[in-house]
Amino acid sequence: MKKAFKNILISMGLLAGVAACDVNRLPETNISDLSFWTSESDIKAANNYLYTFLPGFNNDDVWSDDAFGLASNTISDGSRLAPATAGNDYNAPYNLIRAANNILEKAPRATVSPAVLDRYLAEARFFRGWAYFSLVQKYGSVPLILKTLDENSPELTEAPASRETLLDQIYSDLDFAIVNLPTITALGNIDYGRISKTAAQAFKARVALFEGTFSKFHNQGNAAAHLTLARDAAKAVIDSKEHALFGSYFDLFQMAGEGRQNKENIIVKQYGVSSTERVLTHSYYRSSLETGNVNPTKSLADSYLMKDGLPITKSPLWMKPDSSQKVFKNRDARMSATFMKRGDPMMTTKPIFDIANLVFNKTGYMFRKFANIEDWNTQASVIDRPLLRYAEVLLIFAEATYELNNAITDAELDMSVNLLRDRGQVARLSNAFVKANALDMREEIRRERRVELAQEGFRYWDLIRWKIAETELVKPVLGNFYFKTEFAAATVNLTPDNIILVQDASFRKFNPAKDYLWPIPINEIALNPNLQQNTGW
């Protein structure tokens, strides 16, 4: 399997370079155009380029209340300005859209069967939907471009499409992908990593949950319609029996969780199978986690339940810790898998972790997901980045069900969030448990999402769609308890409760009149007079 995976990774890397030239160059020569689009291998080579747009590791969690870096972040603290020029947030999705449109227009020239053609067109349409969702999340309304353009195309100055029109197109693209893509079982080991039928279904569920809850809590659009799509798409993935949770939560984010044998991963950004069998590498552990570019906050730490299923504010198991190790005592096992704690393997120059370095880890906490001593040493990790896991599908099903009905049955909890709680070694959630302990079911479902998907880039967008960013992002950024006998001497601000104060609330703001959408880059408005800046920017 490793040899086959190595071969496909190498071919994807080489063909992506060829496809990049053919897909992006304007104008294209007649020779390259006629000679390239002739066979299935040509279409597959062009499609391989689309996979290079899958996002790699990043520090997006610092936009939220889950993480803090070496310094304040202008998105989370509300101090950013409209950018003068477009960066990857705006340009990269449109580059992907153009590449997908190019394939959709030219792949039909190839001498292939209708089924083969539709399979690759389905991949292209999936990626077009992926790109447009990224734009809708950030900007709301943007121009809808469904064909390749040249410098004289009138569409270059087209007015933005409505949010509803964009969502309709995304759903249309994903529905085509669902019908025409192979199952992950049919893809097998050789084509592992390519987009499958359940990948399209799961991504549709993600899109629909975002839009359904955004509509519900921002009082716009047809929330029920989107939430129904989210629930049904998630249920289709569950019913497919193609996926299951991986046994070890920690190993999900290590080499042990790589490849087809891990049925939890639905979409991944692939790097390789070993230091000698790779195309891409990353240094996420050393460049981001160990050096403090992204550190967990007290807000995230406090969200992990005690083993009895109760939050720390209600559980008799909770005691104020007098040492760093006791922060993790009797907690959800996923906390120990996500946060570094005393005794964990760390790095070559410090093999065993004892306490976070406050010079780098400003919160006094350090993330553990993806931490690997060998990767720290080589700075060339090939651990894949999971982009969509079966766990997320279970969470989507639970949340969409609850938001549709303002209720969820115990049976529905057992087929979704309780499977995740079982893995986290936490007491199961039920309606009786919620009532007996004066809990809120919505908050418990949201809590489950937060801890299960921590450090995976979801929290900021959850705050946006739930319309609680205006409440959560204006709070002070707090860290760990300050254990004076453990932390090295450092200048640190503390609250009266002996908690590390990373950023005071006076330096944080969120304007609900404008900050729920991102600013359109100023140069894009200058290039297209029909573009209008989002309100307040």
Side-chain angles (χ1 to χ4, degrees), residues 90-105:
Y90 193 88
N91 282 342
Y94 274 115
N95 288 337
L96 175 54
I97 289 163
R98 187 188 190 285
N101 286 342
N102 192 67
I103 292 166
L104 292 169
E105 290 173 6

Side-chain angles (χ1 to χ4, degrees), residues 100-309:
N101 286 342
N102 192 67
I103 292 166
L104 292 169
E105 290 173 6
K106 296 175 181 175
R109 301 178 189 177
T111 306
V112 296
S113 69
V116 169
L117 176 62
D118 284 346
R119 179 258 177 96
Y120 291 107
L121 296 182
E123 279 191 342
R125 291 190 67 170
F126 170 88
F127 278 101
R128 187 168 67 181
W130 178 281
Y132 270 117
F133 178 58
S134 174
L135 290 166
V136 169
Q137 270 191 313
K138 294 181 175 75
Y139 305 105
S141 297
V142 295
L144 178 61
I145 308 298
L146 299 178
K147 66 178 185 179
T148 55
L149 309 179
D150 60 32
E151 61 271 18
N152 298 313
S153 296
E155 290 85 357
L156 290 172
T157 56
E158 188 171 284
S162 69
R163 190 177 183 116
E164 294 76 15
T165 299
L166 291 164
L167 265 295
D168 286 345
Q169 182 60 51
I170 293 170
Y171 290 144
S172 175
D173 281 344
L174 294 178
D175 286 341
F176 183 88
I178 291 166
V179 170
N180 291 287
L181 285 172
T183 65
I184 198 165
T185 297
L187 287 171
N189 289 335
I190 296 299
D191 275 337
Y192 171 76
R194 300 197 81 89
I195 301 300
S196 66
K197 178 187 293 288
T198 47
Q201 289 170 324
F203 185 65
K204 181 181 180 182
R206 176 190 288 181
V207 172
L209 180 71
F210 183 92
E211 196 60 21
T213 50
F214 191 95
S215 297
K216 181 173 182 174
F217 296 109
H218 291 256
N219 295 314
Q220 63 182 58
N222 188 339
H226 295 292
L227 289 169
T228 300
L229 290 176
R231 180 199 60 194
D232 293 350
K235 186 62 162 54
V237 177
I238 295 169
D239 291 344
S240 75
K241 307 299 183 184
E242 292 278 348
H243 300 280
L245 296 180
F246 194 62
S248 167
Y249 184 78
F250 177 75
D251 283 344
L252 260 175
F253 312 102
Q254 299 291 318
M255 291 302 296
E258 299 281 276
R260 182 69 185 95
Q261 51 86 30
N262 177 2
K263 297 180 71 175
E264 181 164 346
N265 284 341
I266 300 177
I267 303 175
V268 296
K269 173 76 170 183
Q270 294 187 95
Y271 287 86
V273 293
S274 72
S275 59
T276 57
E277 299 178 65
R278 70 192 192 197
V279 171
L280 299 173
T281 64
H282 63 85
S283 58
Y284 176 62
Y285 176 34
R286 187 164 179 175
S287 65
S288 291
L289 306 187
E290 186 257 322
T291 54
N293 284 305
V294 55
N295 308 292
T297 61
K298 184 178 188 293
S299 178
L300 174 60
D302 287 354
S303 66
Y304 287 85
L305 295 168
M306 305 302 292
K307 286 189 177 296
D308 59 8

Side-chain angles (χ1 to χ4, degrees), residues 251-520:
D251 283 344
L252 260 175
F253 312 102
Q254 299 291 318
M255 291 302 296
E258 299 281 276
R260 182 69 185 95
Q261 51 86 30
N262 177 2
K263 297 180 71 175
E264 181 164 346
N265 284 341
I266 300 177
I267 303 175
V268 296
K269 173 76 170 183
Q270 294 187 95
Y271 287 86
V273 293
S274 72
S275 59
T276 57
E277 299 178 65
R278 70 192 192 197
V279 171
L280 299 173
T281 64
H282 63 85
S283 58
Y284 176 62
Y285 176 34
R286 187 164 179 175
S287 65
S288 291
L289 306 187
E290 186 257 322
T291 54
N293 284 305
V294 55
N295 308 292
T297 61
K298 184 178 188 293
S299 178
L300 174 60
D302 287 354
S303 66
Y304 287 85
L305 295 168
M306 305 302 292
K307 286 189 177 296
D308 59 8
L310 293 173
I312 62 173
T313 55
K314 290 179 176 285
S315 174
L317 297 176
W318 169 253
M319 296 180 62
K320 185 177 179 180
D322 55 15
S323 69
S324 60
Q325 188 70 6
K326 290 184 180 178
V327 172
F328 303 93
K329 186 178 180 181
N330 292 321
R331 303 293 289 275
D332 184 328
R334 288 168 293 185
M335 185 178 188
S336 293
T338 304
F339 287 60
M340 277 283 188
K341 62 186 182 303
R342 183 179 294 275
D344 285 336
M346 189 180 180
M347 59 191 187
T348 306
T349 56
K350 186 178 180 180
I352 303 298
F353 181 83
D354 50 13
I355 196 74
N357 185 340
L358 290 174
V359 174
F360 302 108
N361 308 118
K362 301 293 186 182
T363 65
Y365 289 117
M366 180 176 166
F367 274 126
R368 189 183 178 208
K369 278 185 182 178
F370 304 102
N372 182 285
I373 289 182
E374 182 180 346
D375 291 349
W376 185 93
N377 188 43
T378 64
Q379 300 186 67
S381 177
V382 293
I383 295 175
D384 292 345
R385 183 189 179 195
L387 295 172
L388 203 162
R389 300 192 279 117
Y390 185 58
E392 183 190 348
V393 173
L394 299 180
L395 291 163
I396 291 171
F397 173 78
E399 185 179 348
T401 298
Y402 180 82
E403 295 301 346
L404 268 172
N405 306 319
N406 288 319
I408 185 170
T409 67
D410 287 350
E412 290 165 335
L413 289 170
D414 286 344
M415 63 181 286
S416 56
V417 297
N418 281 333
L419 298 178
L420 305 177
R421 288 196 172 205
D422 288 347
R423 183 165 63 181
Q425 301 170 35
V426 176
R428 287 193 155 206
L429 185 65
S430 68
N431 284 279
F433 185 84
V434 167
K435 183 178 180 179
N437 292 284
L439 300 173
D440 181 283
M441 183 64 79
R442 172 183 285 149
E443 291 306 310
E444 293 311 304
I445 291 172
R446 289 182 177 183
R447 180 201 305 277
E448 193 63 34
R449 179 180 175 87
R450 186 178 190 182
V451 301
E452 175 66 32
L453 302 178
Q455 200 192 329
E456 296 179 54
F458 290 93
R459 177 64 176 174
Y460 171 78
W461 297 112
D462 289 343
L463 298 177
I464 294 296
R465 64 190 179 88
W466 294 331
K467 204 178 184 297
I468 59 172
E470 61 202 74
T471 302
E472 300 304 317
L473 292 185
V474 298
K475 294 178 180 178
V477 178
L478 302 177
N480 202 350
F481 293 92
Y482 182 66
F483 304 107
K484 188 175 182 179
T485 59
E486 296 184 61
F487 283 113
T491 301
V492 59
N493 295 319
L494 300 175
T495 71
D497 296 327
N498 197 44
I499 294 167
I500 297 169
L501 175 60
V502 184
Q503 188 178 32
D504 190 79
S506 62
F507 295 101
R508 300 183 66 80
K509 60 183 180 180
F510 186 94
N511 184 351
K514 72 179 182 69
D515 287 331
Y516 281 109
L517 290 177
W518 285 27
I520 302 290

